[in-house]
Amino acid sequence: MSKRVFIKNNAFYLTVFMGFIVTALIFLLIGTVKLEEKLNNEILKVSTDDIKAISNNMAHNISSILKEKYGETDSNIKDKVLEDNILHQAIEVIISPILTKNIKYSYIVYKDERDIFRYLVDVSYIDKMELGQKFDADSKEWLEIYDIKKSITIKHKHIKELSISYLTPILYKDEVVFIFAIDFSVDKIIEIAAIVNLIQYGLFGTVFIMLLFIIFYMLQLIKNYRVKQSTYIDALTSVYNRKYLEEFEKFVNLNNYVLCVLDIDRFKEVNDTYGHDVGDKVLRDVAKLIVKNYRINEDVLIRYGGEEFCLFLKKDRASQMSTLSVIDRLYNELKNTTFSVGHDKFIHITLSVGINMHPYESRNFHEAFKLADEALYLAKKSGRDKVIIYPDVEYMVENS
Amino acid sequence: MRSIIFILIVASYVFGSSYVFLMEKNLDEKELEAKIVSKIGQDALGRDIAVYIPNANDTLKNTYKKFCKVVDDCKEADLIFTPSCEFVNKECQPQNKIVLSSNYKDFKKNDNILGVFFWSKARPNIVISGKRMKKFNIKLPDSYSQFIE
């Protein structure tokens, strides 16, 4: 039935729409997570690049001082530096200015003969350590820097107070003798997170508004579809109406259909005898019966007017006669059906049917319909309860 | 209903991370401390140990209980983990007990303290005195060599 088809189509569109929304949300989720990560990294990079450059300069200055003070080839440089308190003070003066609200700790460490890290200088305001005090390095990068001899950034995942550490090698004779380290507090990350959140909210807001627009658009589409549906559906029988036929004939390919015109026999008598309410009920029941027997996704039933229906049967390419099995089934069921007319009274109803087997041979739908209607006229004229097929085959089913 | 679910999903996603951040704060540090302190004791004595922590609240005790037995009387303890050496001297005699401190200065000045576990620059630090290990006849596996001074 057309209403069922509509509901089916509607459910399909709603499923597609919901699928679209869910997919969009998943993509949004993945996208924002990636965007957040990328933004975090980029902003962190931009906001720490200058500090890192300053840190590199400081390490370079300290290297220069070592070379200036001890020459370029001293083989015992580490021990000499460890004993040189004046140099410690000079180094403290160099690395102190880097401490800010975001740079929590600034210190220089060295590796002893047991490969244990110890403090040379620590200018941190809190947790300040003494010369020679052990430093438990917390990641492999502290050792790697001795091989790569270049600055390394360590991102802390397990230390809650620190976001990153930046290690700069202090070189002497092209070897790493000390490591200048600065620890960035999480405050920087929190500030960055606040900026990223702001961007995220903006993004969410934009996407939310877009989704609202899409939802409104979809609702409008559904509303339009419903309005159209109510325009094209006959209120009494719930099948397509004449208005729909006017649209349908514009795009229907008659090559694919057999055109049938069905008319309820002696319907006027039903109306006159039992009243229009009973007549309406009989019309509804006959329409239901036709719908029950046609192929829901292939055939099209239209109430042409009064008690007359127009049925487009989708052609079975293998056999023309098998297409007409719909009519066979309908006639058989009609034969075994009685229609209530009230007060426990039932009547039999018969149909006359005119069929145009080759509607595509006509120039347009109206001509094709005219031929089917002529066949219907013949069926009526020859005693009703008959099927007349145009042009050449007479296919007759009698209901008695 | 769908709208409510949608709004909830979006809201939980947008605001979720900050709650997680708050909930996890300070939890891991104490767990790590409990794990390290109990492991040092177990490795030193070669068996399960009972730990006494002066003035420990229930939260701290429960954290330690995940890794070792916690006792309320220092006399029953195998290991005392204390922030103050004054306590060790006055209230609990550390004979036959391992004493670990969380204060580096106390560790340096009190010969009864075997080692120290403390947080510095947001990182955990462990120092164990080699001299005191000999004094108390305590042996630790080779994996502790980087912490022994």
mmCIF file of all heavy atoms in Angstrom, chain A residues 198-220:
data_model
loop_
_atom_site.group_PDB
_atom_site.id
_atom_site.type_symbol
_atom_site.label_atom_id
_atom_site.label_comp_id
_atom_site.label_asym_id
_atom_site.label_seq_id
_atom_site.Cartn_x
_atom_site.Cartn_y
_atom_site.Cartn_z
ATOM 1 N N LEU A 198 39.124 26.742 24.248
ATOM 2 C CA LEU A 198 38.391 27.861 23.656
ATOM 3 C C LEU A 198 38.132 27.582 22.165
ATOM 4 O O LEU A 198 37.011 27.759 21.670
ATOM 5 C CB LEU A 198 39.221 29.138 23.826
ATOM 6 C CG LEU A 198 38.461 30.446 23.826
ATOM 7 C CD1 LEU A 198 37.572 30.551 25.043
ATOM 8 C CD2 LEU A 198 39.441 31.622 23.806
ATOM 9 N N ILE A 199 39.187 27.118 21.497
ATOM 10 C CA ILE A 199 39.059 26.789 20.072
ATOM 11 C C ILE A 199 38.053 25.651 19.910
ATOM 12 O O ILE A 199 37.200 25.668 19.013
ATOM 13 C CB ILE A 199 40.426 26.413 19.473
ATOM 14 C CG1 ILE A 199 41.355 27.623 19.535
ATOM 15 C CG2 ILE A 199 40.290 25.923 18.039
ATOM 16 C CD1 ILE A 199 42.810 27.328 19.242
ATOM 17 N N GLN A 200 38.162 24.670 20.827
ATOM 18 C CA GLN A 200 37.247 23.520 20.759
ATOM 19 C C GLN A 200 35.794 23.951 20.913
ATOM 20 O O GLN A 200 34.931 23.492 20.179
ATOM 21 C CB GLN A 200 37.584 22.547 21.878
ATOM 22 C CG GLN A 200 38.286 21.309 21.370
ATOM 23 C CD GLN A 200 38.471 20.291 22.475
ATOM 24 O OE1 GLN A 200 38.346 20.607 23.646
ATOM 25 N NE2 GLN A 200 38.768 19.086 22.099
ATOM 26 N N TYR A 201 35.566 24.851 21.895
ATOM 27 C CA TYR A 201 34.189 25.313 22.110
ATOM 28 C C TYR A 201 33.668 25.990 20.841
ATOM 29 O O TYR A 201 32.520 25.791 20.443
ATOM 30 C CB TYR A 201 34.126 26.288 23.286
ATOM 31 C CG TYR A 201 34.405 25.648 24.635
ATOM 32 C CD1 TYR A 201 35.040 26.346 25.658
ATOM 33 C CD2 TYR A 201 34.033 24.334 24.894
ATOM 34 C CE1 TYR A 201 35.308 25.763 26.884
ATOM 35 C CE2 TYR A 201 34.301 23.737 26.112
ATOM 36 C CZ TYR A 201 34.940 24.450 27.106
ATOM 37 O OH TYR A 201 35.209 23.866 28.308
ATOM 38 N N GLY A 202 34.560 26.810 20.234
ATOM 39 C CA GLY A 202 34.174 27.482 18.998
ATOM 40 C C GLY A 202 33.823 26.479 17.928
ATOM 41 O O GLY A 202 32.806 26.602 17.230
ATOM 42 N N LEU A 203 34.667 25.453 17.834
ATOM 43 C CA LEU A 203 34.457 24.404 16.826
ATOM 44 C C LEU A 203 33.159 23.655 17.097
ATOM 45 O O LEU A 203 32.345 23.435 16.190
ATOM 46 C CB LEU A 203 35.646 23.439 16.867
ATOM 47 C CG LEU A 203 35.730 22.442 15.733
ATOM 48 C CD1 LEU A 203 36.136 23.139 14.450
ATOM 49 C CD2 LEU A 203 36.751 21.360 16.057
ATOM 50 N N PHE A 204 32.972 23.307 18.373
ATOM 51 C CA PHE A 204 31.747 22.593 18.740
ATOM 52 C C PHE A 204 30.515 23.439 18.423
ATOM 53 O O PHE A 204 29.521 22.933 17.917
ATOM 54 C CB PHE A 204 31.759 22.234 20.231
ATOM 55 C CG PHE A 204 32.346 20.882 20.503
ATOM 56 C CD1 PHE A 204 33.545 20.752 21.175
ATOM 57 C CD2 PHE A 204 31.705 19.731 20.070
ATOM 58 C CE1 PHE A 204 34.102 19.513 21.421
ATOM 59 C CE2 PHE A 204 32.255 18.487 20.309
ATOM 60 C CZ PHE A 204 33.450 18.371 20.987
ATOM 61 N N GLY A 205 30.639 24.730 18.758
ATOM 62 C CA GLY A 205 29.523 25.637 18.506
ATOM 63 C C GLY A 205 29.178 25.676 17.030
ATOM 64 O O GLY A 205 28.007 25.549 16.648
ATOM 65 N N THR A 206 30.232 25.802 16.192
ATOM 66 C CA THR A 206 30.014 25.870 14.747
ATOM 67 C C THR A 206 29.371 24.579 14.242
ATOM 68 O O THR A 206 28.396 24.609 13.489
ATOM 69 C CB THR A 206 31.367 26.086 14.022
ATOM 70 O OG1 THR A 206 32.048 27.126 14.675
ATOM 71 C CG2 THR A 206 31.172 26.412 12.560
ATOM 72 N N VAL A 207 29.954 23.453 14.686
ATOM 73 C CA VAL A 207 29.424 22.154 14.230
ATOM 74 C C VAL A 207 27.998 21.962 14.731
ATOM 75 O O VAL A 207 27.132 21.463 13.996
ATOM 76 C CB VAL A 207 30.335 20.999 14.711
ATOM 77 C CG1 VAL A 207 29.702 19.655 14.420
ATOM 78 C CG2 VAL A 207 31.684 21.097 14.040
ATOM 79 N N PHE A 208 27.753 22.403 15.967
ATOM 80 C CA PHE A 208 26.415 22.269 16.543
ATOM 81 C C PHE A 208 25.400 23.060 15.715
ATOM 82 O O PHE A 208 24.323 22.563 15.395
ATOM 83 C CB PHE A 208 26.444 22.755 17.995
ATOM 84 C CG PHE A 208 25.168 22.520 18.729
ATOM 85 C CD1 PHE A 208 24.762 21.229 19.041
ATOM 86 C CD2 PHE A 208 24.349 23.576 19.102
ATOM 87 C CE1 PHE A 208 23.574 20.994 19.710
ATOM 88 C CE2 PHE A 208 23.166 23.361 19.774
ATOM 89 C CZ PHE A 208 22.766 22.068 20.083
ATOM 90 N N ILE A 209 25.793 24.285 15.344
ATOM 91 C CA ILE A 209 24.891 25.114 14.536
ATOM 92 C C ILE A 209 24.666 24.458 13.176
ATOM 93 O O ILE A 209 23.545 24.400 12.668
ATOM 94 C CB ILE A 209 25.459 26.548 14.386
ATOM 95 C CG1 ILE A 209 25.347 27.268 15.735
ATOM 96 C CG2 ILE A 209 24.724 27.337 13.315
ATOM 97 C CD1 ILE A 209 26.139 28.545 15.852
ATOM 98 N N MET A 210 25.774 23.907 12.610
ATOM 99 C CA MET A 210 25.646 23.215 11.314
ATOM 100 C C MET A 210 24.698 22.037 11.420
ATOM 101 O O MET A 210 23.838 21.823 10.561
ATOM 102 C CB MET A 210 27.027 22.727 10.843
ATOM 103 C CG MET A 210 27.824 23.811 10.134
ATOM 104 S SD MET A 210 29.506 23.267 9.866
ATOM 105 C CE MET A 210 29.253 21.941 8.719
ATOM 106 N N LEU A 211 24.865 21.280 12.512
ATOM 107 C CA LEU A 211 23.989 20.123 12.711
ATOM 108 C C LEU A 211 22.542 20.557 12.859
ATOM 109 O O LEU A 211 21.636 19.917 12.323
ATOM 110 C CB LEU A 211 24.425 19.334 13.957
ATOM 111 C CG LEU A 211 25.546 18.329 13.749
ATOM 112 C CD1 LEU A 211 25.943 17.713 15.076
ATOM 113 C CD2 LEU A 211 25.140 17.230 12.781
ATOM 114 N N LEU A 212 22.358 21.676 13.595
ATOM 115 C CA LEU A 212 20.987 22.188 13.756
ATOM 116 C C LEU A 212 20.380 22.516 12.395
ATOM 117 O O LEU A 212 19.232 22.169 12.118
ATOM 118 C CB LEU A 212 21.005 23.443 14.622
ATOM 119 C CG LEU A 212 20.961 23.234 16.133
ATOM 120 C CD1 LEU A 212 20.898 24.568 16.842
ATOM 121 C CD2 LEU A 212 19.759 22.397 16.538
ATOM 122 N N PHE A 213 21.199 23.168 11.543
ATOM 123 C CA PHE A 213 20.720 23.516 10.206
ATOM 124 C C PHE A 213 20.331 22.248 9.435
ATOM 125 O O PHE A 213 19.292 22.196 8.787
ATOM 126 C CB PHE A 213 21.789 24.301 9.428
ATOM 127 C CG PHE A 213 21.718 25.783 9.672
ATOM 128 C CD1 PHE A 213 22.753 26.456 10.298
ATOM 129 C CD2 PHE A 213 20.606 26.512 9.276
ATOM 130 C CE1 PHE A 213 22.690 27.815 10.546
ATOM 131 C CE2 PHE A 213 20.528 27.872 9.509
ATOM 132 C CZ PHE A 213 21.573 28.529 10.149
ATOM 133 N N ILE A 214 21.215 21.234 9.545
ATOM 134 C CA ILE A 214 20.949 19.980 8.822
ATOM 135 C C ILE A 214 19.665 19.344 9.349
ATOM 136 O O ILE A 214 18.822 18.885 8.583
ATOM 137 C CB ILE A 214 22.150 19.011 8.955
ATOM 138 C CG1 ILE A 214 23.346 19.577 8.198
ATOM 139 C CG2 ILE A 214 21.800 17.630 8.414
ATOM 140 C CD1 ILE A 214 24.656 18.871 8.474
ATOM 141 N N ILE A 215 19.525 19.348 10.690
ATOM 142 C CA ILE A 215 18.320 18.751 11.288
ATOM 143 C C ILE A 215 17.075 19.509 10.811
ATOM 144 O O ILE A 215 16.090 18.893 10.399
ATOM 145 C CB ILE A 215 18.418 18.758 12.832
ATOM 146 C CG1 ILE A 215 19.479 17.737 13.283
ATOM 147 C CG2 ILE A 215 17.080 18.445 13.479
ATOM 148 C CD1 ILE A 215 19.892 17.855 14.727
ATOM 149 N N PHE A 216 17.148 20.851 10.847
ATOM 150 C CA PHE A 216 15.993 21.635 10.390
ATOM 151 C C PHE A 216 15.690 21.353 8.927
ATOM 152 O O PHE A 216 14.537 21.218 8.529
ATOM 153 C CB PHE A 216 16.233 23.139 10.597
ATOM 154 C CG PHE A 216 16.079 23.564 12.035
ATOM 155 C CD1 PHE A 216 17.011 24.382 12.636
ATOM 156 C CD2 PHE A 216 14.990 23.132 12.794
ATOM 157 C CE1 PHE A 216 16.884 24.758 13.965
ATOM 158 C CE2 PHE A 216 14.848 23.506 14.118
ATOM 159 C CZ PHE A 216 15.800 24.323 14.706
ATOM 160 N N TYR A 217 16.748 21.244 8.137
ATOM 161 C CA TYR A 217 16.572 20.977 6.714
ATOM 162 C C TYR A 217 15.909 19.626 6.498
ATOM 163 O O TYR A 217 14.985 19.501 5.698
ATOM 164 C CB TYR A 217 17.942 21.023 6.025
ATOM 165 C CG TYR A 217 17.883 20.777 4.541
ATOM 166 C CD1 TYR A 217 17.305 21.712 3.689
ATOM 167 C CD2 TYR A 217 18.388 19.597 3.994
ATOM 168 C CE1 TYR A 217 17.239 21.475 2.323
ATOM 169 C CE2 TYR A 217 18.325 19.352 2.634
ATOM 170 C CZ TYR A 217 17.749 20.309 1.803
ATOM 171 O OH TYR A 217 17.675 20.058 0.466
ATOM 172 N N MET A 218 16.404 18.619 7.261
ATOM 173 C CA MET A 218 15.829 17.274 7.144
ATOM 174 C C MET A 218 14.367 17.268 7.586
ATOM 175 O O MET A 218 13.525 16.642 6.957
ATOM 176 C CB MET A 218 16.631 16.263 7.988
ATOM 177 C CG MET A 218 18.019 15.959 7.464
ATOM 178 S SD MET A 218 18.047 15.255 5.821
ATOM 179 C CE MET A 218 17.422 13.613 6.133
ATOM 180 N N LEU A 219 14.094 17.982 8.690
ATOM 181 C CA LEU A 219 12.714 18.052 9.179
ATOM 182 C C LEU A 219 11.810 18.706 8.131
ATOM 183 O O LEU A 219 10.685 18.267 7.908
ATOM 184 C CB LEU A 219 12.651 18.841 10.490
ATOM 185 C CG LEU A 219 13.210 18.132 11.720
ATOM 186 C CD1 LEU A 219 13.196 19.062 12.928
ATOM 187 C CD2 LEU A 219 12.405 16.872 12.036
ATOM 188 N N GLN A 220 12.363 19.744 7.490
ATOM 189 C CA GLN A 220 11.601 20.434 6.451
ATOM 190 C C GLN A 220 11.325 19.486 5.288
ATOM 191 O O GLN A 220 10.208 19.459 4.747
ATOM 192 C CB GLN A 220 12.422 21.651 5.970
ATOM 193 C CG GLN A 220 11.623 22.712 5.239
ATOM 194 C CD GLN A 220 10.496 23.285 6.077
ATOM 195 O OE1 GLN A 220 10.659 23.494 7.276
ATOM 196 N NE2 GLN A 220 9.328 23.483 5.478
#
